[in-house]
Amino acid sequence: MNTGAMNTATTPEPDEFTRAEQAAQFILAALAQNPAMEIPRIAVVLGSGLGDFAGNLQPAVVIAYEQIPFFPRSTAIGHVGRLVIGKLGDVTVAVMQGRVHQYEGYTAKQAAFPIRVLGRLGVRALVLTNAAGGINPQYGEEALVLISDHINLQGANPLSGPNDERFGPRFPDMTKAYTGAYRQIALDAGRKHGMELHEGVYAALAGPSYETPAEIRYLRAIGADLVGMSTVPEVIVARHMGIGVLAISCVTNMAAGLRPQQANDWLLGDPLSPREINHQEVLATGARVRGKLLALLGDIIPGIEESFKPNKPTSGLPGTPGSK
């Protein structure tokens, strides 16, 4: 025996389910420090420049992403990188202040891992928000759009690789990826506040470069109303786990080459005076629409919580007849 040889073997990293479970247990331990705090059944993911909603939760437990085992860290501007769990009125909500994206160097599986953790925590409904480019000429800047379907053009799927049946089935159905009953709750909340809410199809690209005018013409031709660089991996993983989904896009800019003032020929763009897009514009528009979105979420979340009650109509809700 060579006693001088060093043992260089390392402990293999736990599988994804174990990592998600350990992260969830860490969060539960933090919640246990506040006996009044319940386990959340609703989670909200806040996109670029939309992170202020978490300030409405009182009392709250705040955990930086880097404290949570295996949790990815946000590096994008406008994404704070904190998990805030607290009370919105009588409803306990988990709020992610920022997400991670594939363009930061994460895989689709890593980008969606926080949703795995939220699912293991006990979350049943997921509300996603994002900043998006408007393709549909009916949308102006600052419009709020409920995503009704998506087109995944990111070149990756977070479910690729071996399937863990403890999360969900090998081939999850995505016919109703976005829960219709939750969109109706949002539409009702919009009417209450006098807001016009649109519904549309979201195209997800990898980024980080913004799209070219030619790409935007292609996206519109295949049925996209919005374009962005997030959300879809989270939706796929949520539906894989049986979590209901509502997604709201804030149109922070008209997509490349579009002239919103000339909707009839918007597909042509304006090659003589192209309008450049920058992230500061996205953040500024998000700041302007923040108040509207916060008011909307303030009614949507109690509405979703109410839908969990057994005496409520369940058609179209996850895990019930008529739902997927």
Side-chain angles (χ1 to χ4, degrees):
M1 176 182 296
N2 183 3
T3 56
M6 295 183 62
N7 182 5
T8 58
T10 58
T11 304
E13 186 177 67
D15 62 28
E16 187 181 23
F17 186 91
T18 303
R19 296 198 304 273
E21 184 68 23
Q22 289 180 6
Q25 290 301 318
F26 177 89
I27 296 167
L28 288 172
L31 292 180
Q33 303 301 313
N34 187 336
M37 199 67 65
E38 300 171 349
I39 297 173
R41 297 194 290 181
I42 301 172
V44 180
V45 179
L46 300 172
S48 296
L50 302 173
D52 282 359
F53 176 72
N56 293 350
L57 305 183
Q58 297 294 334
V61 173
V62 181
I63 311 172
Y65 289 171
E66 55 262 30
Q67 293 179 278
I68 305 172
F70 310 110
F71 221 75
R73 301 181 186 183
S74 299
T75 65
I77 298 172
H79 293 257
V80 177
R82 296 188 303 184
L83 178 66
V84 182
I85 301 177
K87 289 280 191 178
L88 181 69
D90 295 328
V91 183
T92 301
V93 187
V95 176
M96 286 181 55
Q97 289 184 294
R99 55 163 55 90
V100 301
H101 310 77
Q102 289 175 240
Y103 66 72
E104 296 173 73
Y106 292 105
T107 65
K109 192 180 294 289
Q110 290 170 329
F113 179 74
I115 310 306
R116 295 291 194 201
V117 176
L118 293 172
R120 295 305 303 156
L121 191 64
V123 164
R124 294 175 53 188
L126 181 66
V127 180
L128 301 166
T129 71
N130 63 47
I135 299 175
N136 190 319
Q138 295 181 11
Y139 307 160
E141 290 183 358
E142 303 183 24
L144 295 177
V145 183
L146 307 177
I147 299 177
S148 58
D149 206 343
H150 70 238
I151 303 170
N152 184 8
L153 297 174
Q154 294 190 317
N157 189 304
L159 306 185
S160 294
N163 184 61
D164 192 327
E165 294 286 337
R166 292 173 293 181
F167 283 135
R170 169 75 282 186
F171 301 108
D173 179 52
M174 297 293 288
T175 305
K176 298 178 181 178
Y178 299 83
T179 307
Y182 293 171
R183 290 205 306 279
Q184 188 58 55
I185 290 170
L187 290 169
D188 292 343
R191 279 191 288 270
K192 174 182 174 181
H193 290 280
M195 299 180 194
E196 181 183 15
L197 299 182
H198 303 272
E199 295 188 62
V201 176
Y202 177 90
L205 276 65
S209 56
Y210 289 110
E211 304 74 32
T212 68
E215 288 170 334
I216 293 302
R217 292 194 294 272
Y218 165 73
L219 291 173
R220 183 54 181 165
I222 63 171
D225 298 297
L226 302 153
V227 61
M229 306 172 190
S230 67
T231 303
V232 166
E234 297 159 342
V235 173
I236 293 172
V237 162
R239 298 306 297 128
H240 185 232
M241 299 180 74
I243 298 171
V245 174
L246 173 69
I248 307 172
S249 285
C250 169
V251 177
T252 52
N253 58 277
M254 297 308 294
L258 303 191
R259 292 173 292 173
Q261 73 277 18
Q262 297 181 7
N264 290 336
D265 61 351
W266 66 275
L267 273 176
L268 298 178
D270 188 353
L272 297 179
S273 57
R275 182 184 180 191
E276 294 186 358
I277 303 170
N278 64 76
H279 195 59
Q280 293 307 314
E281 175 188 4
V282 170
L283 295 177
T285 307
R288 290 195 300 272
V289 80
R290 189 179 296 145
K292 290 171 56 179
L293 182 61
L294 297 187
L296 195 64
L297 290 174
D299 278 338
I300 288 172
I301 289 170
I304 293 177
E305 180 72 22
E306 186 74 11
S307 74
F308 295 151
K309 295 183 178 179
N311 61 336
K312 291 294 177 181
T314 57
S315 179
L317 292 175
T320 65
S323 72
K324 293 289 185 183

